[in-house]
Amino acid sequence: MKLINLTVLISLGAAAFAQEVQFDYDRSANFHSYQTYQWVDYKAVQVGDQLLDRDIKRAVDAQLAGKGLRRVESGGDLVVGYQAGISQEKEFDTIGAGGWGGWGGPFGWGNWGNTRVTTSTIDIGKLTIGLFDPAGKRLVWRGAASKTLSISKDPDKNYRFVSQKCN
């Protein structure tokens, strides 16, 4: 059970998050039996994402070490991997006298002629980390975090944020 408290958050690119974190685990797994872990890469890391890859792995490594696990290059009791991605959503904002302030009584249904609607695209980042038991060929723990990305000019801030959300 020593891995259950592991929670994860993404920092994609130069991003910081207010996050939504979820995790689940195999209730039949004997977490006390796991002593070592190794990383597996699901896909090649793009050159521009190498720093992010190292930050994510470093933050997870620190948490797993704090749980008493030791990283090995091969033959680990657990295999750890992650996937990250960005999706986009539209956001609509209204500015002006429409909506609540027009004709139609106290609720202002109308007068949309003076209202301006703007749209913007919001990037949503998501990170999913899985811990697999290679001997049992099964997923034993999975955590996912997602939220709106915002630009941070301080790369140390990004790493500190990921590290804080991994514990």
Side-chain angles (χ1 to χ4, degrees), residues 25-40:
Y25 63 97
D26 180 346
R27 278 121 182 107
S28 68
N30 180 5
F31 286 97
H32 294 292
S33 69
Y34 302 127
Q35 303 295 314
T36 60
Y37 71 96
Q38 70 188 62
W39 278 97
V40 63

Side-chain angles (χ1 to χ4, degrees), residues 2-3 6-7 37 39 54-71 80 159 162-164 166-167:
K2 62 183 169 179
L3 297 177
L6 179 66
T7 56
Y37 71 96
W39 278 97
R54 281 186 287 227
D55 282 348
I56 290 170
K57 287 180 178 176
R58 187 170 57 160
V60 172
D61 285 345
Q63 290 305 308
L64 293 176
K67 304 295 184 201
L69 291 163
R70 184 175 44 89
R71 182 178 176 173
V80 181
Y159 177 73
V162 170
S163 295
Q164 289 171 356
C166 283
N167 56 18

Side-chain angles (χ1 to χ4, degrees), residues 1 25 37 42 49 55-56 70 74 86 93 118 122 126 129 131 140-141 144 156 163:
M1 294 293 234
Y25 63 97
Y37 71 96
Y42 293 133
D49 294 334
D55 282 348
I56 290 170
R70 184 175 44 89
S74 64
I86 298 174
D93 293 312
T118 61
I122 299 173
K126 183 168 187 176
I129 295 179
L131 304 179
V140 294
W141 188 93
D156 289 332
S163 295

